[in-house]
Amino acid sequence: MPDSHPQRQPHTPDGAAGTAPEDAPALVLGGVRLADGRTVDVRVRGGRIEAVGTAGSLIPGTRLDLDGYLLLPAPAEPHAHCDTALTADTVGPVSHTPEDVQRRTTEAALMHLGHGATALRTHVPIGGVHGLRSLEAVLRARETLRGLTDLSSVAVPRMLTGVAGADGLAILRDAVKMGAGVIGGCPDLDPDPTGHVEAVLDIAARHGCAVDLHTDGDDPARLARLAAMAGGLRPGVTIGPCGGLARLPRDVVARVADRLAAAGVTVVCLPQGDCAGLEDRRARGAYTPSCAPVRLLRSAGVRVAAGSGALRDAANPVGRGDPLEAAFLLASRSEAEPEEAYEAVCGRARAALGLPEVRVEAGFPAELLAVRGDGLPGVLSLAYSRVVVHQGRVVARTSAVREYCASAAAAALDLPRQARTDHSGRPQPPD
């Protein structure tokens, strides 16, 4: 098979981390399987895929043997709450000092990266007693993580209407000036939800920012008004997690979905369930965790991405920050076929973040995830060993070894292992 022809380089959105230098040494991912069943070599250089050829054909470059791995475009995390992540076991009030927020954000981002997400969007509350300190800490974390992962932030004010909303509007404008790349909000928690959305969209239009609103989506009339206001806004409007749509009659959801699709609004669902931004409603007994009805939304033409949401915080004491888990849950609940489920955490998640498309073809960004396994359904079910490539270099590796005690049954079944084995069948040490 000849090398694939280079494609035109996709546009990189403002705020994304810089690409690797053009003179960076080449890296060859050798003997890796693609989703279409081919086994190939993939050469990356300068942050992009330089060539794809038959196994053993691509030189020069440092070679990484990935025999037994499936190579996929890297997923992205479109909906995280890194500032409060990993606080479920905290005794007493959670600390929101800049140092603690930066540490939690960094640790959470690296957890997502280890699972394969080379880009992540985190929602950050602003205003109140903490002002802009949490956002400042997240922006500092973004700088320390540059070159490892692309971290973007959503500035999320609480109130934007009435007397209390004046301060929220002022601090939201300050957040944009500070460097928040996306404007957010929680209209469900504002006494005037429609006014809240209008304020967010107005500021976004003035500053040319994307919008990402945190809503349960259980009010169809409110969603219809949002769609009417959001239509045509660029660079785009995202809403999520919209679990409330699952609790509405199907015919009602279908009408709302048609309006969201016509307006070009993206929905980010959370197959895991609960999320930090709605914990106040849950405490009042007005919230039941659900996942948005993905299949119904997609049938209407709505762009649907999937994220992880809460990561071991007050809203959810568990969580892995693993996009493959989100895809697995979509597929296991029959909301999507495995390929569609992975696209929700990969292609559509990247699009929701304003990032360029990734394909395992020459000319596309070298944002890749290699997972030990033969096919997509298999790696969604059981994916321990992973190699993550960001900007053309390996930034994270996870190696797992599974062993069974010596028995005739294990030998007869030739049970699969996650680690490579030598000629005698013994597992080799992790890389």
Side-chain angles (χ1 to χ4, degrees):
M1 181 184 69
D3 291 358
S4 60
H5 296 291
Q7 306 293 316
R8 182 179 178 183
Q9 294 187 357
H11 171 67
T12 300
D14 294 338
T19 57
E22 293 296 330
D23 59 354
L27 171 65
V28 175
L29 309 177
V32 70
R33 183 187 296 270
L34 301 184
D36 61 11
R38 291 178 293 153
T39 299
V40 300
D41 283 357
V42 178
R43 186 170 65 232
V44 301
R45 190 201 306 265
R48 293 196 172 270
I49 299 172
E50 189 175 67
V52 178
T54 52
S57 68
L58 296 185
I59 55 174
T62 302
R63 187 175 181 86
L64 176 61
D65 179 18
L66 290 177
D67 178 38
Y69 280 76
L70 181 71
L71 187 65
L72 301 164
E77 174 52 64
H79 192 116
H81 294 271
C82 293
D83 62 307
T84 57
L86 311 173
T87 58
D89 296 330
T90 300
V91 177
V94 173
S95 170
H96 289 279
T97 65
E99 295 78 14
D100 285 337
V101 171
Q102 182 175 351
R103 174 185 54 79
R104 291 195 296 262
T105 298
T106 301
E107 186 175 355
L110 290 176
M111 288 180 66
H112 283 89
L113 176 65
H115 290 307
T118 62
L120 180 147
R121 174 182 285 182
T122 182
H123 291 245
V124 187
I126 60 173
V129 296
H130 303 298
L132 292 170
R133 286 183 295 175
S134 291
L135 179 60
E136 291 172 350
V138 171
L139 294 178
R140 283 196 296 272
R142 180 183 67 180
E143 291 306 310
T144 63
L145 290 164
R146 193 174 295 276
L148 290 175
T149 184
D150 291 339
L151 175 65
S152 61
S153 55
V154 184
V156 184
R158 189 174 182 88
M159 300 290 183
L160 292 179
T161 65
V163 176
D167 290 339
L169 290 169
I171 203 165
L172 183 55
R173 296 188 187 98
D174 290 340
V176 174
K177 294 175 183 177
M178 182 184 295
V182 186
I183 294 177
C186 289
D188 298 6
L189 304 181
D190 196 301
D192 181 2
T194 300
H196 188 104
V197 172
E198 289 176 340
V200 169
L201 296 179
D202 178 65
I203 294 176
R206 291 174 184 271
H207 294 275
C209 294
V211 169
D212 196 333
L213 293 169
H214 204 297
T215 177
D216 189 42
D218 58 354
D219 187 329
R222 189 184 303 165
L223 285 180
R225 289 193 292 270
L226 185 153
M229 292 185 285
L233 184 70
R234 297 292 179 267
V237 175
T238 298
I239 61 174
C242 294
L245 286 173
R247 301 188 292 273
L248 297 175
R250 289 182 62 86
D251 60 329
V252 174
V253 176
R255 290 194 293 270
V256 170
D258 288 339
R259 296 193 178 190
L260 293 175
V265 174
T266 297
V267 172
V268 174
C269 71
L270 300 179
Q272 175 182 268
D274 218 343
C275 196
L278 299 169
E279 60 192 36
D280 289 354
R281 300 184 70 196
R282 186 188 61 181
R284 297 196 303 267
Y287 179 66
T288 302
S290 303
C291 178
V294 173
R295 190 175 292 277
L296 181 55
L297 291 170
R298 290 189 66 249
S299 67
V302 178
R303 294 190 291 262
V304 182
S308 299
L311 177 60
R312 294 170 52 193
D313 61 16
N316 191 344
V318 297
R320 298 189 180 119
D322 185 354
L324 297 193
E325 180 184 50
F328 163 81
L329 290 172
L330 284 181
S332 67
R333 294 170 179 170
S334 299
E335 287 290 353
E337 299 302 316
E339 293 76 16
E340 297 168 345
Y342 189 75
E343 180 65 12
V345 301
C346 182
R348 286 194 289 275
R350 288 183 60 85
L353 271 57
L355 296 171
E357 180 183 14
V358 175
R359 299 182 194 169
V360 187
E361 298 177 15
F364 283 86
E367 303 291 321
L368 302 167
L369 171 62
V371 188
R372 177 160 284 280
D374 293 329
L376 192 55
V379 301
L380 292 186
S381 304
L382 194 66
Y384 295 131
S385 298
R386 309 184 191 189
V387 178
V388 186
V389 176
H390 174 54
Q391 296 181 4
R393 68 188 186 101
V394 175
V395 292
R397 301 183 71 167
T398 302
S399 297
V401 177
R402 177 182 291 111
E403 295 183 282
Y404 302 94
C405 65
S407 70
L413 292 174
D414 190 23
L415 294 172
R417 301 173 183 269
Q418 281 280 316
R420 293 195 300 270
T421 58
D422 61 20
H423 295 298
S424 67
R426 292 188 299 271
Q428 296 177 349
D431 295 322

